[in-house]
Amino acid sequence: MQAKEENLWPPEVPDIFELLKQPAFAIINRPMSPSVVYVGGIHIKEPQPLPQELADWLDGSGEEGFIFFSLGTVIKAEHLKQEHISSILKVFGSLKQRILWKWNSEIKNLPSNVKISSWLPQQDILAHRKIRLFISHGGLFGSQEAMYFEVPVLGMPVFLDQHMNIDEIVSQGWGKSLAWDDLTEDTFGEAIQDILSNSRLVKPDLD
């Protein structure tokens, strides 16, 4: 954050990302004319072909399929605790599925079933026939896209509307939520397996 780098951020004030994790309340002032109609999901387009290398990697995931993990564009590697990253990697390395992870940093000792990239075509990936689970921070667009393409979600919200979006997914019965404060190797692995073992949520590969 530029203000912190330039010593303009008071040292006694917590980091902005810490503040966003625990707001007392959020004021949303969005007056609308009675003629306004909400059209959630209007941004969703017909799936486009994936880059060939990525398509081959996902197509080669076999009957077990793959898991897509993305924390959006705001949450970066430096915002996560190393212990959380370690737990995530241990669980990913133990899974039969391939893991496609949108991530902005190199990872040492990356498990062989994990592929990372700083940019990925999210909608086209969520539309892929072999996807089994979307692990998400709960951004609005990603939540709408997962619903549209019928992909179950493991939500790990960080701040503001992400909690509300994931709560809605859980209440509708097509996902689970895991708080970062509760994340361990055991809780993360159990949450993933709870969804993968639920035949009502996970679509079979129709190939």
Side-chain angles (χ1 to χ4, degrees):
M1 188 172 62
Q2 185 176 358
K4 206 161 193 177
E5 292 172 355
E6 297 179 1
N7 296 318
L8 300 177
W9 190 265
E12 67 274 11
V13 178
D15 184 276
I16 185 64
F17 283 93
E18 290 301 317
L19 291 174
L20 287 171
K21 289 178 185 177
Q22 41 191 327
F25 62 94
I27 299 175
I28 301 175
N29 182 18
R30 189 165 51 181
M32 289 292 181
S33 161
S35 62
V36 171
V37 178
Y38 286 100
V39 284
I42 196 172
H43 69 287
I44 298 174
K45 309 295 184 184
E46 283 295 315
Q48 299 299 308
L50 293 167
Q52 193 59 53
E53 181 183 358
L54 178 58
D56 291 344
W57 195 79
L58 297 180
D59 290 342
S61 59
E63 293 183 2
E64 301 295 343
F66 72 93
I67 294 170
F68 181 35
F69 181 29
S70 173
L71 297 176
T73 57
V74 176
I75 304 163
K76 308 294 185 184
E78 57 267 24
H79 300 145
L80 299 188
K81 296 178 180 179
Q82 185 56 49
E83 63 194 75
H84 287 161
I85 296 176
S86 296
S87 295
I88 289 169
L89 285 172
K90 287 178 182 177
V91 172
F92 282 169
S94 70
L95 296 174
K96 298 178 181 179
Q97 289 75 21
R98 288 185 173 181
I99 314 296
L100 182 60
W101 187 354
K102 181 183 178 297
W103 193 238
N104 68 309
S105 177
E106 289 188 13
I107 296 179
K108 294 181 180 179
N109 302 317
L110 193 70
S112 60
N113 64 325
V114 179
K115 183 180 185 67
I116 61 173
S117 177
S118 60
W119 181 88
L120 290 165
Q122 180 167 285
Q123 285 193 42
D124 303 326
I125 291 167
L126 290 172
H128 196 283
R129 68 189 185 282
K130 287 186 177 291
I131 190 167
R132 300 294 182 261
L133 173 64
F134 181 29
I135 303 176
S136 168
H137 63 304
L140 181 59
F141 279 7
S143 299
Q144 292 175 343
E145 291 158 10
M147 173 184 283
Y148 183 84
F149 292 113
E150 300 181 2
V151 180
V153 172
L154 172 56
M156 301 171 67
V158 178
F159 47 71
L160 298 179
D161 70 315
Q162 297 168 6
H163 294 276
M164 179 180 66
N165 297 335
I166 295 301
D167 286 347
E168 185 66 21
I169 289 172
V170 173
S171 70
Q172 292 177 5
W174 52 283
K176 293 179 66 71
S177 178
L178 178 62
W180 284 96
D181 287 343
D182 297 331
L183 191 151
T184 65
E185 185 178 347
D186 288 340
T187 59
F188 188 55
E190 288 170 3
I192 290 174
Q193 292 299 341
D194 282 349
I195 295 177
L196 293 179
S197 62
N198 188 333
S199 59
R200 184 180 64 83
L201 293 178
V202 179
K203 295 185 296 184
D205 188 348
L206 300 179
D207 273 10

